[in-house]
Amino acid sequence: MKKTNYIDDIVSWEEEFEYYHDVKVRFSETDMFGHLNNTVPFTYFEMARIDFFKSQGFMQDWVKPENETIPVVADLQCDYLSQIYFDEDLKIYVKANSIGNSSVDLHYMGKKADGLICLAGRGTIVQISKRTGKGVPWSDEMRHLLSKSKKSVVK
């Protein structure tokens, strides 16, 4: 696997993932060369991220009109590790790699049905105030839920 600057040890990194979202590659997501278009993994990351946040109970509050906070994407990165084709089944994994005051660095891993890692990614999400646009700290409960998303690996 090619070296990525946010993964120190690929084996440990891979073992820490637990939560995933299933995806089937649609024909419309492929390009004229027959493989997944380079923009599509970002949509897969979004789908997995939204499902992940729903599983934590965050999205249900964020989408309420009266809620003061919303999540915004501060940056997003994808490394393409192997070709992906129409009709392949993928699992897009998500974990909170590190948690800041109002931000979280999420890591993503795409795996094919045979277990091959085909995508690796990361991105910073910031919880902000809709009114001020400034970062809003995670509550203790949110911080706890985010920290539980990364499996502890015993060596």
Side-chain angles (χ1 to χ4, degrees):
M1 186 174 110
K2 87 177 196 178
K3 178 73 171 143
T4 55
N5 63 350
Y6 51 91
I7 301 171
D8 292 325
D9 173 33
I10 188 67
V11 174
S12 298
W13 182 79
E14 180 181 6
E15 289 174 349
E16 290 173 346
F17 285 94
E18 188 168 31
Y19 189 87
Y20 66 89
H21 177 80
D22 288 311
V23 171
K24 182 174 276 296
V25 178
R26 300 179 307 170
F27 180 76
S28 63
E29 296 169 331
T30 60
D31 60 22
M32 63 188 271
F33 303 108
H35 56 72
L36 188 69
N37 182 279
N38 65 309
T39 63
V40 175
F42 294 101
T43 302
Y44 292 171
F45 291 172
E46 177 190 42
M47 291 170 13
R49 179 174 63 247
I50 297 302
D51 260 12
F52 170 72
F53 283 145
K54 279 182 180 177
S55 78
Q56 303 298 308
F58 298 177
M59 284 306 296
Q60 296 84 327
D61 288 332
W62 282 330
V63 297
K64 291 178 184 170
E66 68 275 9
N67 196 52
E68 167 60 13
T69 59
I70 58 172
V72 295
V73 175
D75 73 332
L76 197 53
Q77 173 179 348
C78 181
D79 288 287
Y80 307 90
L81 306 176
S82 70
Q83 295 289 335
I84 302 168
Y85 296 95
F86 164 67
D87 213 30
E88 284 194 275
D89 293 311
L90 306 176
K91 289 186 186 315
I92 307 298
Y93 289 82
V94 183
K95 68 177 176 181
N97 192 63
S98 61
I99 306 163
N101 185 46
S102 60
S103 65
V104 61
D105 189 52
L106 295 179
H107 281 203
Y108 305 93
M109 175 178 63
K111 278 187 160 185
K112 294 184 175 194
D114 65 3
L116 177 70
I117 300 174
C118 53
L119 300 167
R122 57 147 306 281
T124 303
I125 308 301
V126 181
Q127 178 178 240
I128 67 164
S129 163
K130 289 191 286 191
R131 189 173 40 79
T132 68
K134 303 281 185 209
V136 175
W138 301 113
S139 68
D140 288 341
E141 180 185 1
M142 293 171 102
R143 185 176 295 283
H144 174 72
L145 290 168
L146 287 168
S147 67
K148 283 180 20 178
S149 75
K150 186 175 171 180
K151 271 199 297 190
S152 295
V153 179
V154 179
K155 297 260 178 188

